[in-house]
Amino acid sequence: MSTDRSPSRPDAACAPGADPPGTSDRGRRSLTDRLGERMSRATVFGRRLGDIRADLARRAVPRHWTNLFGVVTLACLVILTVTGILLMFWYTPSSATTAYDGPYTPLRGAEVSHAFASTMRITFEIPGGLLVRQAHHWAGLLLPAAIIMQLVTTFFTGAFRKPRRGMWVLLFLVFIAALAGGWSGYALPDDLLSGTGLRITEGIALGIPVVGTWLASLLFGGSFPGEVIAHLYPLHVAIVPAVLVVLVALRALAAWRVGPVQFPGAGRTSRNVVGVPLWPNAAARAGGLFALVTGGLLVISATVTVNPIWLYGPADPGNAGAGSQPDWYTGFLDGALRLVPSGWEFVLFDRTWTLAVLAPLAVVTAFLVAIPVYPFVEAWATGDRREHHLLERPRTTPTRTGIGVAAIAFYGTLWAAGSADLIATQFSLTFEGVIAALQATLIIGPIVGFAVARRVCLGLQRRDRDAMLHGYETGRIVRLPGGEYVEVHAPLDAAARARIERPDPPILLILRPDERGRLTLARRLQVRLSRWYLADSIDSETGARMVPVGGVARRP
């Protein structure tokens, strides 16, 4: 069936009053369209642009809600960039003191830093300055949340497996860069709240043995507060944005090279992606979500006050704000400090080693390092070196899902501990009781979360297996000739079976001696981890591949 609309048919060409062949469409097209088409064919740049557009139109993108968080992240980065550039023209990064003479009467005549005075000027004297400030702040609060959701969805669906392990590491580095950017910008207004946070930072640095004093002097440029504003400003406006741009560009390039990943379904393989064209369909959808996120942030910025520095007042080295709280994305760092029991210190080599600082730093560092390393550990433990282009449902991998839930429980407990004082005051509890409960939760919570999540996943697997074997319940009750009533089950269709079936069966490692007849400790540990990872899994009972470890040959 032809869809050609040009007047090439005989009846169209010979119709009375019809335009000559080849002239009808030209008359309806604008001059710019014809000029653009001619340039795209005549110039190298135009032909290259046309090839790129054709490639974008040929590439399919799956339609799933897990793909939306990247657009939210991009929207936050754009808002942060635009508002940050505007704020650079008005902000003064200096800790030198001056007398405030702005329109805010309660602080008139107070001794403040130039950084605080310029922030107050942006807030009360620059038209639209408060909106720009608050949009910058709200976007900075939403950015870590969007990245965390990307990390969570990527982890639970197994999207970090080969060949996308590098993309997982890049996404984690984007998260760390966002934390660094938010922390450095948190201190720039130089109000009492940010000054309290900087005082905590100084205490942490000084608590590190041997190099603590040097680190504090390097950061603050002398005694507190020193020149910390001048030191953090280039980090916030130059170094972190450049790192973010590079990391996001590298991740986008890697995503383009390895192609999209999708959930299993009928006819879906690594070469057959079911979705919509990247251009213009997926691009239009992303543009619409981008506009919605941008508009929502601007509406919130115009109606909801955040970081009212005029109420906090200027930073004062001799004072600290009561009930001060860090921005939510750094709350887990503050919570780790609060959960350490008091009196944890000892003297060694004529130095006092304060575990109240060292223990939280060690625990948080180990937790953060485990996140980018996990894909490589899982691949080694399971012996899975295959490339995966289809995602997995969380129920399909009970152990991985349990580990993810345990990590969320651990992080959530640290995050809640950052507001332990507010929890105590709001619910009329003792502060010591809240800390003791959170200390117990920090140990018991991940264990319980892992066990419960694993059992739930196994229960869902058994339900799926029953549906595969016996079909789904139709709700239709029939009576058998013997008088028994039973419910009629209907078989699953192909699409439902494809969603339940695991496209890549797991690998069950078998310990065997190597060429020299040795059973190394690493091989023993690998097999034990593999058994633990697949313990009680429904897949391990039926469709697992048996692969020997330690010998030369590898057989399915």
Side-chain angles (χ1 to χ4, degrees):
M1 182 176 63
S2 176
T3 58
D4 188 9
R5 298 176 59 185
S6 61
S8 56
R9 294 173 301 171
D11 55 344
C14 301
D19 294 332
T23 61
S24 178
D25 286 346
R26 289 187 59 187
R28 290 194 297 266
R29 297 175 60 192
S30 64
L31 177 63
T32 55
D33 290 341
R34 287 180 286 169
L35 182 61
E37 181 180 355
R38 178 170 298 182
M39 291 183 62
S40 64
R41 295 177 179 177
T43 62
V44 177
F45 176 77
R47 289 193 296 270
R48 180 56 180 166
L49 189 61
D51 294 340
I52 294 176
R53 183 175 179 179
D55 291 340
L56 294 176
R58 285 193 298 266
R59 179 170 291 238
V61 177
R63 294 183 299 176
H64 198 267
W65 62 268
T66 55
N67 299 328
L68 303 179
F69 296 111
V71 181
V72 178
T73 301
L74 181 61
C76 293
L77 290 174
V78 171
I79 293 177
L80 286 171
T81 301
V82 174
T83 56
I85 292 174
L86 293 176
L87 293 174
M88 287 174 59
F89 290 102
W90 305 318
Y91 177 76
T92 303
S94 174
S95 300
T97 58
T98 183
Y100 178 72
D101 59 353
Y104 189 69
T105 305
L107 290 179
R108 188 171 296 171
E111 185 175 325
V112 300
S113 66
H114 284 282
F116 183 84
S118 62
T119 308
M120 291 290 289
R121 178 172 174 269
I122 294 172
T123 302
F124 292 103
E125 300 180 50
I126 302 297
L130 180 59
L131 176 62
V132 174
R133 265 198 66 229
Q134 298 201 147
H136 192 79
H137 199 108
W138 279 116
L141 294 177
L142 181 59
L143 176 62
I147 300 175
I148 288 177
M149 291 305 301
Q150 283 185 269
L151 288 169
V152 169
T153 55
T154 301
F155 180 86
F156 283 109
T157 58
F160 56 79
R161 295 173 297 168
K162 186 180 179 180
R164 295 173 178 82
R165 289 179 291 191
M167 295 176 58
W168 169 263
V169 175
L170 288 174
L171 182 59
F172 173 76
L173 294 178
V174 170
F175 174 69
I176 296 299
L179 293 185
W183 172 78
S184 58
Y186 176 82
L188 293 184
D190 202 27
D191 59 306
L192 187 61
L193 183 61
S194 63
T196 302
L198 288 176
R199 176 64 83 177
I200 296 174
T201 302
E202 184 202 27
I204 296 174
L206 292 175
I208 301 176
V210 182
V211 298
T213 304
W214 175 79
L215 287 176
S217 178
L218 178 65
L219 177 61
F220 292 92
S223 59
F224 185 85
E227 299 295 329
V228 64
I229 300 297
H231 292 173
L232 292 179
Y233 183 72
L235 175 66
H236 183 71
V237 304
I239 299 177
V240 171
V243 171
L244 279 173
V245 169
V246 172
L247 292 176
V248 171
L250 289 176
R251 191 167 188 275
L253 179 61
W256 176 264
R257 294 184 62 180
V258 301
V261 63
Q262 61 182 342
F263 283 94
R268 298 182 182 183
T269 63
S270 60
R271 298 179 180 272
N272 182 20
V273 179
V274 178
V276 296
L278 180 58
W279 180 268
N281 303 65
R285 293 170 181 265
L289 180 60
F290 183 93
L292 288 175
V293 174
T294 304
L297 283 174
L298 292 179
V299 169
I300 294 175
S301 303
T303 56
V304 182
T305 302
V306 64
N307 195 23
I309 63 170
W310 56 91
L311 299 180
Y312 304 145
D316 187 354
N319 295 317
S324 60
Q325 298 290 309
D327 282 337
W328 74 268
Y329 47 83
T330 56
F332 74 103
L333 301 175
D334 192 15
L337 295 172
R338 300 190 182 196
L339 292 183
V340 179
S342 59
W344 274 25
E345 61 181 30
F346 60 91
V347 178
L348 183 65
F349 304 119
D350 295 329
R351 297 181 182 274
T352 300
W353 300 75
T354 305
L355 294 181
V357 173
L358 296 179
L361 288 178
V363 170
V364 171
T365 301
F367 176 74
L368 293 178
V369 170
I371 295 176
V373 171
Y374 178 83
F376 304 93
V377 175
E378 181 184 299
W380 176 79
T382 59
D384 191 354
R385 302 176 183 176
R386 301 166 295 179
E387 289 193 357
H388 299 274
H389 299 280
L390 294 179
L391 298 174
E392 294 177 316
R393 295 193 300 173
R395 68 183 66 180
T396 308
T397 54
T399 302
R400 181 199 299 156
T401 302
I403 293 174
V405 172
I408 292 176
F410 181 82
Y411 175 86
T413 303
L414 294 181
W415 181 75
S419 301
D421 52 345
L422 294 182
I423 294 175
T425 56
Q426 295 297 322
F427 294 95
S428 300
L429 303 173
T430 62
F431 181 76
E432 293 78 7
V434 174
I435 291 296
L438 290 174
Q439 287 172 344
T441 305
L442 186 66
I443 299 175
I444 300 175
I447 299 175
V448 174
F450 174 83
V452 171
R454 196 176 189 182
R455 300 315 303 178
V456 169
C457 290
L458 292 175
L460 293 174
Q461 279 192 30
R462 291 187 177 92
R463 190 186 70 175
D464 289 342
R465 183 183 60 180
D466 292 340
M468 292 280 290
L469 295 176
H470 308 293
Y472 66 93
E473 299 174 352
T474 61
R476 180 171 168 235
I477 307 297
V478 299
R479 184 179 180 181
L480 299 181
E484 180 183 2
Y485 290 91
V486 296
E487 184 177 9
V488 178
H489 287 67
L492 300 177
D493 56 15
R497 297 181 67 90
R499 286 195 301 267
I500 295 177
E501 292 177 346
R502 189 169 183 174
D504 300 319
I507 296 176
L508 185 61
L509 302 183
I510 302 176
L511 185 62
R512 290 187 178 180
D514 58 9
E515 300 90 337
R516 300 181 181 180
R518 299 177 304 176
L519 295 176
T520 62
L521 180 61
R523 296 299 186 185
R524 293 176 183 270
L525 178 61
Q526 183 182 12
V527 172
R528 286 185 177 273
L529 286 176
S530 174
R531 299 280 178 162
W532 172 77
Y533 196 87
L534 298 177
D536 299 329
S537 177
I538 306 301
D539 289 327
S540 64
E541 300 174 2
T542 55
R545 296 175 55 199
M546 312 295 288
V547 177
V549 175
V552 178
R554 294 175 59 88
R555 62 177 180 83

